[in-house]
Structure formats: structure tokens, C-alpha cells
Amino acid sequence: MKVRMDRMDKLKQIVANSNRSEQEKTAAEAESRAMLTELYSDTGTDKCEWLESYVKDLIDCETKFLIFAHHREVLDKIEEFVKAKKTKYIRIDGNTPMTKRQGLVKSFQEDGDCSVAVLSVTAAGTGLTLTAASTVVFAEL
């Protein structure tokens, strides 16, 4: 992390330096944006160890819950945790066809054995009725 932050500082200096060419500044800005995206993604995956423990506790307590995440890698990890516990679940993310989403919601709402909904913040953040859950977890925003 420190190495990345040091690199970010150097990139900021390149952009701010009036003696640098526009091409150098543009390249530094692009690299900086890419690093920020990478760091943002890392903030999600760095939580996965804690999330695994929390998700398993919720399942062990037979809690019916929704868990929202932003990054696909985090959603995949959560899904792995749920599968490892052999728990019935639904998942709605950007790859879930619109035509299948209502069926998944109905399954979660009506099936007492379906206790977990793994949801993308952007794909499932609005327009779905998931009132059967007693708990909502925002793994990342």
C-alpha cells in the first residue's frame, strides 16, 4: 500500500510540474486514475476475511439476509462463503438477465430455505422488493 501511495505522490508531482510535457502529464493522470480504481477494488477484497466470518455467523444463526457489494470479486467471494455453508441463496448482479430477476426475488421472498441474497449495489439497489430479509449487510458501497 505504501509503495502505491508513494507512486501516487510522484504522479501528482508530474501533473503539477509546469516543466513536464502534456504527454507526460496525460500519461501520469491516466496511471493515477488506474491506480485509484485498483485501490478502490482492494478496499473491497481486503474485507473478505472479515466478511467470511460474518456471513458464516449469520448463516449459523439462521438469519435471512441481504448482502450488498460493489465489486464482482467481492460478490464472488461472498458467494463462495455461502456455497461452502451449503445454504440456498440467490445472486443478482450485472450479469443477471432482467427477465430472471423477478423470479429470483420471488424465490427469496417465498422460499423459507432460501436465506441469503447476494446482491450488486448497482444491479439490485432499487426496484426490488426483498422484505423477507431480517438483516441487511453492506459489505462495501
Side-chain angles (χ1 to χ4, degrees):
M1 181 67 94
K2 180 165 176 19
V3 172
R4 286 185 182 165
M5 295 310 291
D6 289 346
R7 180 65 183 152
M8 287 290 289
D9 287 340
K10 288 179 183 176
L11 292 169
K12 284 181 191 176
Q13 291 171 3
I14 291 170
V15 172
N17 188 334
S18 60
N19 294 329
R20 297 290 186 144
S21 71
E22 285 304 311
Q23 185 177 10
E24 287 177 300
K25 290 180 183 183
T26 301
E29 287 172 345
E31 184 179 345
S32 179
R33 280 191 300 277
M35 287 183 72
L36 281 173
T37 300
E38 205 174 292
L39 286 167
Y40 181 60
S41 179
D42 288 350
T43 64
T45 54
D46 287 348
K47 298 174 190 167
C48 285
E49 187 176 324
W50 172 85
L51 275 173
E52 179 176 16
S53 173
Y54 192 61
V55 166
K56 287 179 177 179
D57 286 348
L58 288 171
I59 292 169
D60 289 344
C61 292
E62 298 180 3
T63 305
K64 190 166 183 111
F65 66 97
L66 313 176
I67 184 161
F68 287 91
H70 179 72
H71 292 96
R72 186 170 315 276
E73 298 87 9
V74 177
L75 290 164
D76 291 344
K77 283 289 191 187
I78 294 167
E79 186 175 27
E80 284 177 31
F81 307 152
V82 174
K83 280 182 179 178
K85 293 295 281 183
K86 297 181 179 10
T87 301
K88 192 169 181 182
Y89 71 98
I90 65 164
R91 176 173 172 166
I92 299 174
D93 62 23
N95 288 335
T96 308
M98 294 297 280
T99 56
K100 295 194 181 224
R101 293 181 188 196
Q102 260 330 108
L104 291 168
V105 168
K106 184 176 181 178
S107 175
F108 181 79
Q109 288 290 97
E110 297 176 3
D111 185 347
D113 292 331
C114 185
S115 62
V116 182
V118 180
L119 307 166
S120 163
V121 171
T122 51
T126 59
L128 300 178
T129 301
L130 295 161
T131 55
S134 63
T135 302
V136 178
V137 178
F138 288 93
E140 59 173 347
L141 297 174

